[in-house]
Amino acid sequence: MTERYVLDLQEVDETQVAVVGGKGAHLGGLSRIEGIRVPAGFCVTTDAFRRIMAEAPSLDDRLDQLSRLNPDDREAIRTLSAQIRRTIEGIAIPDDLTAAITRALARLGEQAAYAVRSSATAEDLPTASFAGQQDTYLNVAGPTAILQHVSRCWASLFTERAVTYRQRNGIDHRTVHMAVVVQRMVFPHASGILFTADPVTGNRKVATVDAGFGLGEALVSGLVNPDVFKVRHGEVVAKAIAAKQRAVHALPTGGTQEVAIDSRRQEQPALTDAQVVRLVQLGRRIEAHFGRPQDIEWCLVDDGFQIVQSRPITTLFPVPETGDQENHVYVSVGHQQMMTDPMKPLGLSMWQLTAMVPMHAAGGRLFVDVTRRLAAPASRAGLLDVMGRGDPLVRDALETVLDRDDFVPSLPDAGPGGPPTGGASATIETDPAIVTELIERSQVSIAALERDIRTKTGPALFEFLLEAFAEHKRVLSDPLSMQAIMAGMEATWWLNDTLQEWLGEKNAADTLTLSAPDNVTSEMGLALLDVADVIRPHSEVVAFLQGVEDEGFLDELAKLAGGTEARDAMEAYLDRYGMRCVGEIDITRPRWRERPTTLVPVLLDNVRNFEPGAAERRFEQGRRKAQQKEQDVLSRLRALPDGDRKADEAKRMIDRVRTFIGYREYPKYAIVSRYFVYKQALLEEAERLVQAGVLPQKEDIFYLTFQELHDVARSNQADDRLIQQRKDAFRSYHALTPPRVLTSDGEAVTGAYQRDDVPAGALIGLPVSAGTIEGRARVILDIAEADLEAGDILVTTFTDPSWSPLFVAVAGLVTEVGGLMTHGAVIAREYGLPAVVGVERATRLIRDGQRIRVHGTDGYVEILP
């Protein structure tokens, strides 16, 4: 095939990204939409770029060097990328290529002014916009100048900014090529940007128009504040007209300049309301063509709009697909489960298949549709109460949606809203034997699963697993188990509410639950202190562990003095807790048993920071504190009017909370234990598929849903393209922040704390474990990076049970996500750590190493000077 160096915009469409880059492909697609005007122009294709790169063999070595650099080595990237740019700009454009470009210019008008715009093959993609990564030159006139600027666009593929962006996004420099778009300049009265969905809230029904005078550069470069219009259902619903003191205009000699705007015009809107509405109608047509919300650059020329760019808005959180036109309100599962990272497709589908309520996936996260429950008054009250106790931000977000006129339909109470959230009412006796029996039932069920799954392979394994999921749900929904959980939670709420009323004391239950029995998660943290006790005396083992990188290190330990004991202690720990890991609700995450190196930094911190016997002392201290608190509370109550009755009621509730609150952690432990059994069986199946040549690698199964994997096992055929698409999508989901509440309009509703009792400048959160502590903030996003000193305060995004070994070593806790009864809160109370959760953007607002004060009783964090 002969290379085509130049294509007219009318000849290309959005399928030709590889030929004309993202911008060129989108512009070609735009020019084909009826009623959309795009300035005339042509694309210099990626064939031309490849031809230029081939002219300088030295570039190959430099690209190799570049790909080996660390993305954080800014100096080396700056130097090397500048050399590459100079080389490209210095290459003489071959005659046939020059002729192709000048012929295209002659067709459009050789002496006219043009915009010369970079169009890389990795920009304006659904998963990475690369906005502003490459260069655009405006008002370039004459063939010589245009050829020179085409060279500059090629070189701009290697700006320091673009190189770093690619390295951070794992994109190979050699796979990205540069096309150039050359378009007739338009000299607009006004220009700006149209978002067909609100870029701040995500609402797909609200379009936002930013407008200024002159060329759009003034807006894009931040030179002026634009007029901002919001349009919903074809009418302007809000507008803010800015004082636009400057504009960018084209110069007759080429190039652009800033000009001052006449003071009488500064406050005039750049567009009339009627023009704004017309522009949004064009935007909706463009959005329908591309099939997703768009970020569109527009110009107004003689009362007609011309579109100079359209790209997908990549920051919007996707909306669950329902296939109906009804309104829906979704609550995030990740915020309840302490895991807001994206999950892989197998992880999502396994959680959906084993969950007690239907769940919808979007953006790699799961959501529950609560519309029906919000619609009927009784179920609404129950839902808001439970949500509010767990996470006030979710409750506030739901109330915000309910305040909207008619977004949630009203249903009578008898409607099929299901039982109010909160499960079975707690009418069981305060009897520790109930907890013992529940734990035994769970262990028997897991032992049967381990025994029966061993013989199953191929399609029979999947049939067996579907039955196992039914048993999984049966165990989870055991009425006695639900009652035990609710008994502990309701007793906690009763104590906090009633003792505040009777004694004026906040969060009294926090101290009363210290070292509660039967809490498998807090035991897990203490058990790692016991492992540290075994290792501490053996200096060779400690030294060896400091350099460990390979997951097979446990076998190596036996060769060292004291190594056999150390290995046995770690193996015993992994036998009991090895199924756990960060983000454990996603079955695809590596478990501690699969990646034991994760625990080594925490273990070494324990060796360094603690004395022998710390676990037992810690537990005993907590138990005594709780006992003293109980005596103190009861004696203060007896001194009140009607004191004996009050003390008896409180005593009954204290016994109840200590009997049942530890069990709150057990069902999750049982779920994750079952998950590890499922996972090992599925990975063996994956190994069989790899041996049979069906899949290139075992981990590919993580990018298929359970149902799809079942089909692959039946047919022995896998869709490689689908797996690759899923990998790309999963990578892109990391950039998205999942909202606590999401509507079917795409609006992410965050909620706010309704509080006025907090000092200025403090970070507000939810008080979940009483006490005040000052210390050094350690912002830790990965448990394997732990490096803690006594007295440190852990600051992180979320903590699921796998973080509890760190809780032993810290003095306080701050998280971005969490509620009163989520795992981190329960364990913080058991260990007596002052804790504030649900602190929005805590890991960004608090810097690692800063001194902070955590007010665990009142729910705020102060950053100290």
Side-chain angles (χ1 to χ4, degrees):
M1 177 190 125
T2 58
E3 271 81 4
R4 288 200 64 187
Y5 294 133
V6 172
L7 290 173
D8 193 86
L9 269 183
Q10 302 283 340
E11 294 180 76
V12 300
D13 64 23
E14 56 271 29
T15 62
Q16 287 163 278
V17 172
V19 182
V20 293
K23 188 175 294 157
H26 275 85
L27 285 167
L30 281 167
S31 64
R32 292 163 174 241
I33 306 171
E34 199 177 326
I36 301 297
R37 290 166 58 202
V38 174
F42 60 88
C43 300
V44 182
T45 66
T46 52
D47 283 340
F49 173 77
R50 275 190 285 268
R51 169 94 182 266
I52 291 294
M53 294 294 278
E55 298 277 324
S58 67
L59 283 171
D60 248 11
D61 289 346
R62 290 198 172 141
L63 285 182
D64 276 344
Q65 281 174 268
L66 196 58
S67 63
R68 285 197 294 274
L69 291 179
N70 181 323
D72 295 322
D73 190 347
R74 308 245 324 247
E75 197 50 49
I77 288 177
R78 187 176 301 132
T79 308
L80 192 51
S81 55
Q83 287 173 2
I84 293 172
R85 286 199 303 281
R86 275 198 303 277
T87 305
I88 294 172
E89 284 185 41
I91 296 168
I93 300 178
D95 293 349
D96 55 338
L97 184 42
T98 301
I101 293 171
T102 44
R103 269 200 309 276
L105 283 171
R107 281 200 304 277
L108 289 174
E110 217 167 73
Q111 291 316 308
Y114 289 86
V116 183
R117 315 172 70 192
S118 310
S119 178
T121 54
E123 70 175 10
D124 295 354
L125 306 176
T127 55
S129 75
F130 283 75
Q133 295 302 317
Q134 281 90 32
D135 295 347
T136 283
Y137 303 96
L138 299 177
N139 202 30
V140 183
T144 311
I146 286 168
L147 286 166
Q148 187 190 356
H149 284 86
V150 167
S151 279
R152 284 189 183 168
C153 282
W154 286 330
S156 77
L157 189 61
F158 296 98
T159 61
E160 182 191 345
R161 196 173 58 221
V163 166
T164 307
Y165 190 91
R166 285 197 293 273
Q167 283 181 298
R168 292 203 189 288
N169 282 277
I171 295 166
D172 179 354
H173 301 299
R174 290 170 192 282
T175 61
V176 184
H177 300 117
M178 180 66 87
V180 182
V181 176
V182 180
Q183 272 178 295
R184 284 288 294 254
M185 261 306 277
V186 288
F187 301 100
H189 160 74
S191 57
I193 298 164
L194 155 64
F195 297 98
T196 64
D198 188 320
V200 178
T201 67
N203 194 326
R204 310 304 202 261
K205 299 270 175 74
V206 175
T208 303
V209 175
D210 290 4
F213 294 121
L215 290 165
E217 289 309 287
L219 257 60
V220 176
S221 62
L223 180 66
V224 295
N225 288 329
D227 296 339
V228 180
F229 302 85
K230 292 197 182 292
V231 176
R232 187 185 179 104
H233 300 317
E235 61 175 311
V236 175
V237 290
K239 61 180 162 184
I241 306 305
K244 299 168 288 297
Q245 290 160 348
R246 308 189 75 67
V248 173
H249 284 280
L251 291 168
T253 52
T256 59
Q257 83 173 127
E258 280 179 40
V259 294
I261 294 176
D262 181 314
S263 60
R264 284 171 309 215
R265 274 186 71 212
Q266 286 181 6
E267 306 261 352
Q268 281 183 352
L271 295 178
T272 65
D273 283 10
Q275 286 171 327
V276 170
V277 169
R278 201 166 83 229
L279 174 62
V280 170
Q281 284 167 343
L282 296 176
R284 292 280 173 232
R285 200 175 288 180
I286 294 169
E287 178 182 66
H289 174 83
F290 289 118
R292 55 193 304 160
Q294 298 287 302
D295 158 356
I296 297 164
E297 290 179 30
W298 55 269
C299 297
L300 177 67
V301 188
D302 306 328
D303 202 40
F305 286 103
Q306 300 217 22
I307 304 299
V308 293
Q309 187 157 340
S310 185
R311 59 163 82 95
I313 309 177
T314 56
T315 53
L316 296 177
F317 200 87
V319 182
E321 287 173 24
T322 54
D324 63 29
Q325 295 303 305
E326 308 284 309
N327 287 349
H328 294 272
V329 182
Y330 301 98
V331 171
S332 159
V333 172
H335 286 81
Q336 316 286 312
Q337 288 294 337
M338 297 299 89
M339 159 56 182
T340 52
D341 289 349
M343 292 165 73
K344 297 192 180 95
L346 185 64
L348 289 167
S349 67
M350 294 285 278
W351 195 258
Q352 284 171 306
L353 285 164
T354 51
M356 303 310 297
V357 291
M359 291 183 179
H360 306 265
R365 278 77 168 191
L366 289 168
F367 295 86
V368 173
D369 186 343
V370 294
T371 323
R372 300 301 290 264
R373 280 194 240 156
L374 286 175
S379 58
R380 179 190 313 146
L383 180 73
L384 290 175
D385 183 49
V386 168
M387 291 292 168
R389 285 185 182 280
D391 182 344
L393 293 178
V394 173
R395 178 179 181 137
D396 189 69
L398 290 173
E399 286 176 334
T400 304
V401 176
L402 286 167
D403 288 343
R404 305 266 158 82
D405 30 326
D406 303 333
F407 188 82
V408 176
S410 283
L411 290 177
D413 267 330
T421 311
S425 66
T427 52
I428 50 174
E429 290 302 305
T430 303
D431 178 1
I434 291 173
V435 173
T436 313
E437 183 195 336
L438 284 167
I439 291 173
E440 273 171 17
R441 278 190 208 176
S442 175
Q443 286 171 337
V444 167
S445 174
I446 292 167
L449 171 68
E450 287 173 328
R451 183 187 65 235
D452 297 343
I453 204 166
R454 284 193 192 120
T455 55
K456 309 290 188 288
T457 59
L461 169 66
F462 291 86
E463 300 300 335
F464 172 80
L465 281 171
L466 289 169
E467 290 169 29
F469 299 162
E471 164 68 1
H472 180 124
K473 287 163 96 163
R474 190 193 64 72
V475 172
L476 264 189
S477 59
D478 178 339
L480 189 63
S481 176
M482 302 291 277
Q483 287 176 319
I485 292 168
M486 287 312 294
M489 281 164 53
E490 284 171 358
T492 306
W493 298 334
W494 187 94
L495 285 166
N496 279 337
D497 295 349
T498 312
L499 295 181
Q500 181 155 8
E501 187 190 325
W502 289 346
L503 298 174
E505 185 172 343
K506 282 185 185 173
N507 303 348
D510 293 1
T511 313
L512 293 166
T513 52
L514 286 171
S515 300
D518 297 314
N519 186 322
V520 69
T521 311
S522 57
E523 286 165 7
M524 175 170 78
L526 297 174
L528 202 61
L529 287 176
D530 291 336
V531 178
D533 286 354
V534 175
I535 288 168
R536 195 178 289 105
H538 304 295
S539 54
E540 254 187 88
V541 172
V542 174
F544 170 76
L545 288 176
Q546 276 158 350
V548 154
E549 283 175 10
D550 177 25
E551 297 302 342
F553 73 92
L554 287 170
D555 297 334
E556 299 293 306
L557 277 175
K559 300 171 189 166
L560 308 172
T564 310
E565 287 167 72
R567 186 193 61 197
D568 292 349
M570 287 194 75
E571 285 286 358
Y573 186 86
L574 289 169
D575 285 345
R576 177 117 208 250
Y577 304 111
M579 77 295 282
R580 307 221 87 149
C581 67
V582 171
E584 61 194 10
I585 70 169
D586 180 353
I587 197 170
T588 72
R589 289 285 193 106
R591 311 281 134 180
W592 291 343
R593 174 48 90 188
E594 296 169 300
R595 200 175 283 174
T597 53
T598 312
L599 289 170
V600 171
V602 193
L603 194 54
L604 289 169
D605 283 349
N606 287 351
V607 167
R608 194 175 66 243
N609 294 333
F610 290 93
E611 296 294 316
E616 199 177 334
R617 273 199 308 281
R618 199 60 195 267
F619 189 78
E620 197 41 47
Q621 246 170 346
R623 211 177 54 75
R624 275 207 304 276
K625 259 195 198 157
Q627 241 172 356
Q628 284 160 359
K629 183 70 179 173
E630 178 179 328
Q631 286 162 2
D632 166 56
V633 163
L634 296 179
S635 65
R636 280 159 64 202
L637 286 174
R638 286 198 187 96
L640 297 176
D642 198 15
D644 287 348
R645 179 189 63 80
K646 287 175 177 166
D648 288 349
E649 264 185 74
K651 170 68 175 146
R652 211 166 44 247
M653 285 302 178
I654 292 169
D655 289 348
R656 199 161 176 77
V657 87
R658 289 196 69 79
T659 300
F660 291 116
I661 201 66
Y663 178 71
R664 158 79 183 81
E665 290 293 298
Y666 200 84
K668 182 83 173 271
Y669 174 77
I671 289 171
V672 177
S673 301
R674 298 179 79 89
Y675 258 36
F676 194 35
V677 181
Y678 305 153
K679 182 179 189 178
Q680 287 167 306
L682 288 171
L683 282 173
E684 279 176 31
E685 192 56 26
E687 185 58 54
R688 185 184 73 74
L689 292 166
V690 170
Q691 298 298 329
V694 178
L695 291 172
Q697 50 194 22
K698 280 199 307 193
E699 282 72 23
D700 285 350
I701 68 166
F702 297 160
Y703 297 94
L704 298 170
T705 65
F706 180 82
Q707 296 85 340
E708 289 164 348
L709 185 52
H710 190 175
D711 291 340
V712 171
R714 265 198 295 255
S715 66
N716 270 340
Q717 285 179 310
D719 182 344
D720 297 339
R721 281 227 333 271
L722 174 70
I723 290 171
Q724 191 50 52
Q725 279 168 359
R726 295 273 177 78
K727 286 180 179 177
D728 294 342
F730 176 70
R731 209 173 20 246
S732 76
Y733 293 151
H734 282 277
L736 300 174
T737 304
R740 281 177 165 81
V741 170
L742 179 67
T743 72
S744 46
D745 285 353
E747 187 178 0
V749 193
T750 46
Y753 290 106
Q754 307 300 328
R755 303 259 299 277
D756 51 12
D757 57 345
V758 169
L763 309 181
I764 303 180
L766 181 65
V768 295
S769 185
T772 302
I773 190 78
E774 249 180 60
R776 177 179 73 153
R778 288 310 321 272
V779 180
I780 298 177
L781 302 178
D782 177 352
I783 191 170
E785 315 267 290
D787 179 13
L788 296 163
E789 299 290 342
D792 282 351
I793 295 167
L794 172 62
V795 180
T796 189
T797 42
F798 58 78
T799 58
D800 58 10
S802 69
W803 284 78
S804 62
L806 259 66
F807 284 22
V808 176
V810 296
L813 173 71
V814 179
T815 67
E816 294 182 350
V817 175
L820 204 57
M821 283 298 166
T822 45
H823 302 274
V826 173
I827 306 308
R829 289 195 288 273
E830 290 242 338
Y831 285 169
L833 298 180
V836 180
V837 302
V839 180
E840 293 279 87
R841 298 176 53 238
T843 59
R844 278 167 280 181
L845 297 171
I846 300 170
R847 285 197 315 277
D848 187 50
Q850 272 184 321
R851 287 196 67 76
I852 61 173
R853 187 182 296 129
V854 177
H855 295 263
T857 310
D858 295 312
Y860 63 92
V861 179
E862 289 178 285
I863 298 174
L864 302 175

